């Protein structure tokens, strides 16, 4: 089984850097988490996955916190510790409290 390293911004192709730039601008952050770095070996999958996430998280009938909590609960059921931590942090940034996390 092959194991790939993470694609850091400085080492990324122009195509991957453009996607990283969009992720950082959209999420209002200055860093790329390891999930994105790990799938950047396949720029097509990176772009498709990012576009899908942007569509899911776009304004709509559900508020951003509800969407994050839904994602978080899905990853709890899948037992993905990295995903749980990532989406819990994101939910907290959107206003989740210890009390609301139990709902």
């Amino acid at each position: 089984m092959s194991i790939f390293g993470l694609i850091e911004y400085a080492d990324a192709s122009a195509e991957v850097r453009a996607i990283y730039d969009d992720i950082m601008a959209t999420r209002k952050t200055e860093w790329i988490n390891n999930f994105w770095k790990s799938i950047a070996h396949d720029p097509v999958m990176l772009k498709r996955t990012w576009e899908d996430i942007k569509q899911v998280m776009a304004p709509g009938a559900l508020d951003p916190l509800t969407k994050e909590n839904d994602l978080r609960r899905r990853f709890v059921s899948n037992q993905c510790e990295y995903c749980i931590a990532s989406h819990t942090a994101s939910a907290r940034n959107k206003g989740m409290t210890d009390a609301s996390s139990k709902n």
Side-chain angles (χ1 to χ4, degrees):
M1 174 169 102
S2 288
I3 297 182
F4 297 97
L6 303 176
I7 304 293
E8 299 295 336
Y9 188 91
D11 302 322
S13 67
E15 180 181 16
V16 169
R17 279 187 186 189
I19 298 164
Y20 282 1
D21 288 340
D22 189 33
I23 292 169
M24 290 186 292
T26 301
R27 293 193 163 179
K28 297 178 177 74
T29 186
E30 296 180 6
W31 64 282
I32 297 295
N33 71 35
N34 289 345
F35 171 77
W36 302 111
K37 292 176 186 178
S38 69
I39 64 173
H41 290 279
D42 184 343
V44 172
M45 180 171 56
L46 174 67
K47 183 175 182 174
R48 182 182 63 239
T49 304
W50 172 238
E51 293 298 325
D52 287 348
I53 293 292
K54 281 198 313 186
Q55 185 175 12
V56 167
M57 295 306 291
L62 299 175
D63 63 274
L65 178 55
T66 299
K67 291 177 183 183
E68 277 301 341
N69 274 327
D70 181 59
L71 287 169
R72 198 172 53 84
R73 287 182 184 106
R74 289 171 192 239
F75 290 121
V76 166
S77 70
N78 292 338
Q79 300 177 7
C80 176
E81 294 299 324
Y82 178 86
C83 301
I84 294 166
S86 176
H87 287 281
T88 297
S90 185
R92 287 195 185 284
N93 287 338
K94 291 177 174 64
M96 182 185 82
T97 63
D98 289 339
S100 69
S101 70
K102 293 173 177 57
N103 295 332

